[in-house]
Amino acid sequence: SLMDQCHRLFRILKEAQLTKLNIRGSNPEGLEKVIGILLSWQQQAMSHPNDVQACIVNKVANWPNLGPFDFADLDICLRLVDRGSDRANDVFLSRAKAIVDDETTAPKDFKALLSHIETMLFFLKYVKTEDLQLTHEEFQRSNSKLHPLVQSYLEWAKQAYCPGKELVQLSDEGSLQDKGTVTKVLENLRKPNKDSLF
């Protein structure tokens, strides 16, 4: 199968690196054929083939020292960015492409960084729908079952972070998909809190 062939080709790339063979320098046409086969597999194996996946394949095939990164890691990275085209996915894919295109980002770091983007976008998607007052009410309902020390911390949090004193202040017109708004939110989070318990 094409996947088995790609797996073997990937092993050859890794073995060439271990023996210090520079395939790009000694056989650039051969490396381009390997990349073409990997891209054919990527096009067939993914539900939503896209440019970010092609960039990952190219970067991995051309990276001089893959280290622990293997074919399974390549597959996982391609699946992390296997997304159709809509607003949320476009934001994710643009951030993912910036990471992949960064010259200093090694393939071994792709999985963690792509997962981090996903986590941040999930947070940004739902942060505006959070209701701090409802959160306080939910904790109040379970208050009788809690240890007195935990109750005291919750009471402190209720005083320190009452509605209007949230850690992140968002205006109705501010979009957390906008770089300027995200920068302002991060700056606010970095400011020391005078009411801090610690």
Side-chain angles (χ1 to χ4, degrees):
S1 76
L2 184 56
M3 184 171 181
D4 291 335
Q5 289 175 352
C6 288
H7 197 249
R8 281 194 291 276
L9 286 171
F10 197 88
R11 246 192 336 256
I12 291 168
L13 286 176
K14 295 261 300 182
E15 287 172 15
Q17 288 182 356
L18 290 172
T19 59
K20 308 287 190 228
L21 174 63
N22 179 357
I23 296 179
R24 169 65 63 200
S26 64
N27 189 357
E29 298 85 16
L31 183 58
E32 289 305 317
K33 287 180 182 175
V34 168
I35 291 171
I37 293 168
L38 289 170
L39 288 172
S40 294
W41 163 73
Q42 169 257 321
Q43 289 285 320
Q44 289 179 15
M46 300 298 129
S47 300
H48 305 283
N50 59 55
D51 291 342
V52 180
Q53 292 167 338
C55 289
I56 289 172
V57 168
N58 275 291
K59 186 162 187 176
V60 166
N62 284 290
W63 196 256
N65 182 11
L66 291 170
F69 191 88
D70 62 17
F71 187 74
D73 294 320
L74 174 62
D75 188 46
I76 290 168
C77 291
L78 294 177
R79 292 186 192 287
L80 283 170
V81 298
D82 193 21
R83 294 161 186 257
S85 188
D86 63 33
R87 187 167 186 268
N89 286 339
D90 290 345
V91 170
F92 174 87
L93 290 171
S94 71
R95 299 293 92 222
K97 188 166 186 333
I99 285 174
V100 174
D101 287 346
D102 185 332
E103 291 176 2
T104 62
T105 307
K108 68 179 177 58
D109 298 324
F110 286 168
K111 277 193 303 188
L113 292 171
L114 294 171
S115 295
H116 182 67
I117 293 173
E118 189 165 35
T119 302
M120 286 301 298
L121 289 177
F122 180 83
F123 167 78
L124 294 175
K125 180 179 179 182
Y126 291 104
V127 72
K128 279 193 164 186
T129 61
E130 291 296 311
D131 184 335
L132 190 57
Q133 185 60 43
L134 183 60
T135 302
H136 289 312
E137 289 170 11
E138 286 298 319
F139 275 115
Q140 195 64 40
R141 281 192 197 105
S142 62
N143 208 3
S144 62
K145 303 172 196 157
L146 298 174
H147 187 278
L149 186 59
V150 173
Q151 289 177 3
S152 70
Y153 285 140
L154 288 173
E155 191 54 41
W156 171 84
K158 186 175 180 180
Q159 298 302 319
Y161 301 107
C162 58
K165 291 180 77 177
E166 293 88 350
L167 286 174
V168 176
Q169 299 290 325
L170 297 172
S171 63
D172 289 336
E173 65 275 357
S175 167
L176 285 172
Q177 308 291 343
D178 173 62
K179 184 178 179 182
T181 305
V182 171
T183 302
K184 188 186 274 187
V185 166
L186 291 173
E187 286 171 1
N188 285 337
L189 284 172
R190 289 185 189 114
K191 288 180 185 173
N193 180 356
K194 64 181 184 317
D195 298 323
S196 178
L197 193 59
F198 305 102

